[in-house]
Amino acid sequence: MNIHEYQAKEILETYGVNTQKGRIAHTPDEAFEAARQLKAETNTPIFVVKAQIHAGGRGKGKIVGTDYNGVMLAKSEEAAKEKAAQMLGGTLVTHQTGEEGKKVNIVFVAEDAYKPGEAQLEEFYMSILLDRAKSCNVIMVCQEGGVDIEEVAERAPEKIIKEWIDPAVGLQGYQARKLAFALGLEGKAFKEMVKFIHSLYNAYVGIDAALFEINPVLKTSDNEIIAVDAKVDLDANAFYRHKELAALRDEAEEDPLEVEASKSGLNYVKLDGNVGCMVNGAGLAMATMDMIKLSGGEPANFLDVGGGASAETVEQGFRIILKDPNVKAILINIFGGIVRCDRVANGVVEAYKNIGKIDVPIIVRLQGTNAEEGAEIIKNSGLNVISATILKDAAERIKEVMA
Amino acid sequence: MSVLVNKDSKVIVQGFTGKEGSFHAEQMIEYGTPVVGGVTPGKGGTKHLNLPVFDTVAQAVNETGADVSVIFVPPAFAADAIMEAADAGIKVIVAITEGIPTQDMIKAKTFVQRQENCRLIGPNCPGIITPGEAKVGIMPGFIHKKGTIGIISRSGTLTYEAVDQITKAGLGQSTCIGIGGDPVIGTTTKEAVQLLMEDAHTEGIIMIGEIGGSMESEAAQWIKENGTKPVVGFIAGQTAPKGRRMGHAGAIIGGAEDTAEAKMKIMEECGLHVVQSPAEIGQTMKKALEAAK
């Protein structure tokens, strides 16, 4: 689960990771007040106003209908208020949001961390993530900060330095030093960086993160090391031991249908196609989407009803799929193992009756435990439901419906 | 024949007396799986399903000679259960549990790798079945038929789909291995392929992958260099969008190499029989077998 930059920074601070200080605001007036307080606390002469959305590329992104970016400098409290007024309520489009962009509901008014001074300013890249192939955490750093790391990986992979962490013993001192040396640091900045890496790794493990991307990490003019941005993805499977982190979920960042589905315990991802599908099992659900495409349709969603496909979950699944106006047909693909096909069939019939009018053709493919009884129930229901047993039949029926 | 589990296995169930453990233990026993007991801490000395219950895996191993354990323990305690099994000398650990935190799993996997002669399958998997001999997991037994095709998959119901097609094509399965849908799993696609490639009685292999990670590409490279049997491959998620988790914790496209398209291309280049549609798995295997003869 992704969280906002300001939430991430609050967490990092509790682990002793220095971050760019700031305060959040929901209104232009709050932004003014945030800037005033920040000036009192940090002496910062100017401010940075940062739109809080779950997507990168904010600095280059544009607020729709304006010339404003998602990250802007403000030279006074009044200017911070003015920038916030343009961002709040606006829609920010970046290279990661897609054309539709994301609505800005919160801004982070931050200190200017780039004030000139004795030492030269330097930006770095740092991330911590799971190396799936090695089954351990890896810390990656790059001397080029503030850049698109995937582009660096393509252009000059040798510039990305990696240190793999043994899960049994954790991050060792020599590893943090290796990384800090690789960034070309010395003296106070080197020591600060070693401390920064240790604190950051402790935070990563401490909150069961799935990804940390600190881009950029800044060496300030007084040789401090701070996180200027912070992208944090959390492992939702570990929320049972971090109740406070589960509360950081921002439903406004998610598709409303996906939020509704998750509340019913359904695993739903909205897509742009025209054939809705409801499947038991994630792998089979993805395979069913692929088959829809090969049959001339486009999948409208991913929907895994899970191991206990009951009448209620089937009905809820129907209701969610039908709220998507693009859906022209629905394919239900159930391979019964523990789930019995006759029960799913009853669920389909009940859902159909409860919902009343369903205008799109429905194809039901039941296979596995009690498949024949299920097909019989569908057949005898008198409903406008097309039955299929083997997967190939289901594909053929989609072709017919889409033709 | 088979790999990993057979009629001579001695299987215990961890989380034996829980709801899931009880239900599936009963199904396994009904299938004819040699289940010799189970473990539930605090219930040692009692009987469940007419079998002995032990407090620890070590006791179960001592008393029954168990060499396979199937884990139905809830996610918060599952990594601990895996390590307990490994420490007790269990040879094949099958972790069914879905939702184990990744940081727990990297520790458990490291622990298992440091034991001698110990293999972890899963977590977040349907288990392993050698038809007619042993069902160690949650798959519906009746769709399987004893035969010569080995099946490897990251998914549950999609594996059943492949099994069903193989059975309907008049073939059968040697062993089906559900390796699991998590980003950190005990046995990779390549390792599972290797086991089946070395099994004298497996004549063909079906390898079902999905988006995320590079396991299928590594397996394909290995097959190119060492393969002696036809392999049919499918990757689920050709239509999945980038950056979204598709149900399985591990099914997410991060970089360009994670996509179904990229994996299928490598698999084709390495000589696998790649199918575009999941409906073609059975027939493609049949044809590949005939061509290989």
Side-chain angles (χ1 to χ4, degrees):
Chain A
M1 185 188 85
N2 287 315
I3 58 175
H4 287 296
E5 173 197 0
Y6 77 90
Q7 296 169 325
K9 284 180 170 171
E10 273 174 25
I11 295 170
L12 293 183
E13 286 281 347
T14 65
Y15 281 87
V17 180
N18 288 326
T19 67
Q20 172 200 38
K21 305 289 181 288
R23 292 171 165 269
I24 57 163
H26 300 84
T27 65
D29 284 336
E30 278 182 30
F32 182 91
E33 185 54 24
R36 196 188 62 77
Q37 289 186 11
L38 197 60
K39 193 169 200 169
E41 284 162 17
T42 66
N43 255 335
T44 186
I46 58 174
F47 311 97
V48 190
V49 183
K50 305 168 97 173
Q52 299 295 292
I53 59 165
H54 288 183
R58 292 172 299 166
K60 287 186 183 127
K62 281 264 192 296
I63 302 284
V64 173
T66 73
D67 279 335
Y68 285 73
N69 301 109
V71 177
M72 298 199 85
L73 275 178
K75 293 195 170 145
S76 66
E77 293 89 327
E78 201 50 56
K81 178 179 172 178
E82 188 261 334
K83 311 280 180 200
Q86 292 294 330
M87 289 182 200
L88 288 165
T91 300
L92 178 56
V93 176
T94 80
H95 72 277
Q96 285 186 9
T97 61
E99 289 169 11
E100 69 277 13
K102 292 217 168 196
K103 193 168 172 232
V104 182
N105 296 314
I106 301 171
V107 294
F108 186 65
V109 181
E111 64 177 326
D112 172 32
Y114 289 76
K115 53 183 182 291
E118 233 164 80
Q120 199 190 337
L121 294 165
E122 272 185 87
E123 282 187 331
F124 309 112
Y125 169 93
M126 188 177 298
S127 61
I128 309 178
L129 66 158
L130 171 73
D131 183 326
R132 292 173 65 151
K134 291 190 196 294
S135 293
C136 69
N137 298 326
V138 59
I139 305 180
M140 304 205 293
V141 300
C142 177
Q143 251 184 315
E144 294 180 28
V147 295
D148 179 357
I149 199 69
E150 281 172 8
E151 187 266 320
V152 177
E154 192 107 323
R155 170 170 52 84
E158 73 284 354
K159 287 190 173 171
I160 300 172
I161 315 293
K162 297 178 183 178
E163 203 57 45
W164 286 272
I165 314 303
D166 184 320
V169 298
L171 172 68
Q172 298 301 301
Y174 77 90
Q175 295 182 297
R177 293 197 299 277
K178 248 167 101 177
L179 291 167
F181 280 126
L183 293 174
L185 296 171
E186 54 181 34
K188 181 189 172 196
F190 170 82
K191 282 185 191 149
E192 289 296 321
M193 180 59 89
V194 169
K195 216 171 87 190
F196 183 90
I197 293 169
H198 274 291
S199 304
L200 195 69
Y201 190 76
N202 284 343
Y204 185 86
V205 174
I207 62 170
D208 278 281
L211 170 76
F212 271 8
E213 191 174 45
I214 314 296
N215 189 22
V217 174
L218 179 70
K219 179 174 82 81
T220 65
S221 57
D222 42 14
N223 283 315
E224 299 283 348
I225 304 295
I226 69 166
V228 175
D229 194 5
K231 181 182 175 188
V232 168
D233 184 12
L234 300 169
D235 180 0
N237 284 339
F239 281 167
Y240 71 87
R241 56 188 175 210
H242 305 291
K243 299 269 187 304
E244 73 292 355
L245 296 179
L248 298 179
R249 178 173 175 187
D250 182 356
E251 288 179 0
E253 286 288 328
E254 300 169 38
D255 184 281
L257 282 181
E258 292 182 13
V259 174
E260 192 185 330
S262 75
K263 284 180 179 157
S264 314
L266 297 172
N267 213 329
Y268 171 88
V269 177
K270 174 136 174 19
L271 303 168
D272 298 329
N274 49 14
V275 180
C277 56
M278 194 183 331
V279 188
N280 66 329
L284 189 60
M286 280 187 274
T288 303
M289 286 159 48
D290 297 345
M291 205 183 68
I292 288 170
K293 170 113 180 172
L294 287 168
S295 305
E298 287 285 341
N301 65 277
F302 167 93
L303 175 56
D304 174 10
V305 292
S310 65
E312 294 77 42
T313 51
V314 169
E315 180 172 337
Q316 197 52 35
F318 257 128
R319 288 187 186 276
I320 285 162
I321 292 172
L322 287 167
K323 279 187 187 165
D324 177 352
N326 297 328
V327 168
K328 300 282 175 282
I330 298 176
L331 169 64
I332 298 177
N333 186 12
I334 302 290
F335 201 108
I338 309 162
V339 175
R340 285 165 33 203
C341 290
D342 52 333
R343 284 180 60 181
V344 175
N346 277 324
V348 171
V349 172
E350 261 178 64
Y352 210 113
K353 285 179 182 157
N354 287 344
I355 293 170
K357 202 162 162 292
I358 297 180
D359 291 333
V360 298
I362 294 173
I363 302 156
V364 179
R365 184 267 180 156
L366 298 170
Q367 185 63 276
T369 311
N370 293 0
E372 279 169 25
E373 291 88 333
E376 198 66 19
I377 290 165
I378 298 284
K379 203 178 123 197
N380 295 336
S381 69
L383 298 174
N384 180 22
V385 176
I386 306 161
S387 236
T389 44
I390 65 170
L391 203 50
K392 214 170 176 173
D393 286 344
E396 290 301 319
R397 299 292 91 77
I398 297 167
K399 265 185 206 161
E400 288 164 19
V401 168
M402 295 314 290
Chain B
M1 276 293 276
S2 58
V3 299
L4 298 168
V5 296
N6 59 38
K7 60 180 184 346
D8 299 323
S9 297
K10 287 188 173 138
V11 182
I12 54 163
V13 180
Q14 283 175 264
F16 190 34
T17 56
K19 187 169 162 260
E20 296 286 314
S22 294
F23 177 80
H24 290 291
E26 209 166 355
Q27 301 269 313
M28 286 190 272
I29 294 164
E30 205 172 288
Y31 189 80
T33 309
V35 179
V36 296
V39 176
T40 299
K43 293 199 177 166
T46 61
K47 287 249 177 185
H48 185 61
L49 308 177
N50 274 329
L51 291 168
V53 183
F54 301 95
D55 282 325
T56 67
V57 180
Q59 284 168 356
V61 169
N62 273 339
E63 306 267 330
T64 66
D67 55 1
V68 175
S69 179
V70 57
I71 296 178
F72 292 99
V73 170
F77 315 104
D80 178 49
I82 291 168
M83 292 189 274
E84 183 184 359
D87 184 56
I90 293 287
K91 303 282 179 275
V92 176
I93 304 167
V94 182
I96 308 296
T97 311
E98 176 175 8
I100 304 176
T102 303
Q103 298 302 326
D104 291 3
M105 259 325 291
I106 61 175
K107 287 200 187 95
K109 180 169 177 174
T110 305
F111 189 91
V112 168
Q113 280 173 332
R114 288 173 189 177
Q115 309 290 318
E116 263 180 61
N117 195 12
C118 177
R119 176 172 294 287
L120 170 66
I121 303 284
N124 189 12
C125 78
I128 318 169
I129 183 167
T130 295
E133 299 195 26
K135 169 174 122 80
V136 182
I138 60 173
M139 62 290 278
F142 76 95
I143 59 170
H144 298 81
K145 196 180 118 189
K146 203 171 180 58
T148 58
I149 307 301
I151 301 180
I152 298 155
S153 168
R154 281 165 72 179
S155 143
T157 45
L158 184 54
T159 318
Y160 310 162
E161 178 65 47
V163 166
D164 190 55
Q165 287 181 29
I166 287 298
T167 301
K168 289 204 166 94
L171 304 165
Q173 305 86 32
S174 52
T175 301
C176 308
I177 311 170
I179 58 171
D182 274 1
V184 177
I185 52 176
T187 296
T188 62
T189 311
K190 185 184 94 178
E191 290 165 333
V193 165
Q194 208 168 336
L195 287 172
L196 289 168
M197 206 61 91
E198 286 162 7
D199 174 42
H201 291 82
T202 297
E203 290 174 8
I205 299 170
I206 293 172
M207 179 179 121
I208 300 171
E210 57 192 37
I211 53 165
S214 56
M215 286 198 305
E216 296 85 358
S217 308
E218 283 154 24
Q221 294 289 354
W222 186 89
I223 291 165
K224 187 183 174 186
E225 283 155 33
N226 306 286
T228 51
K229 301 166 187 177
V231 181
V232 172
F234 173 72
I235 302 288
Q238 299 165 60
T239 49
K242 193 183 173 206
R244 298 299 309 269
R245 205 163 257 115
M246 307 302 280
H248 287 155
I252 180 165
I253 300 173
E257 288 150 25
D258 286 1
T259 63
E261 196 191 353
K263 294 189 191 196
M264 285 164 122
K265 185 162 170 269
I266 292 174
M267 283 156 60
E268 234 156 53
E269 285 165 3
C270 291
L272 277 73
H273 304 265
V274 178
V275 293
Q276 302 291 323
S277 165
E280 309 289 340
I281 295 170
Q283 285 307 317
T284 307
M285 186 76 247
K286 199 172 179 184
K287 280 182 206 146
L289 267 189
E290 279 159 11
K293 271 176 187 160

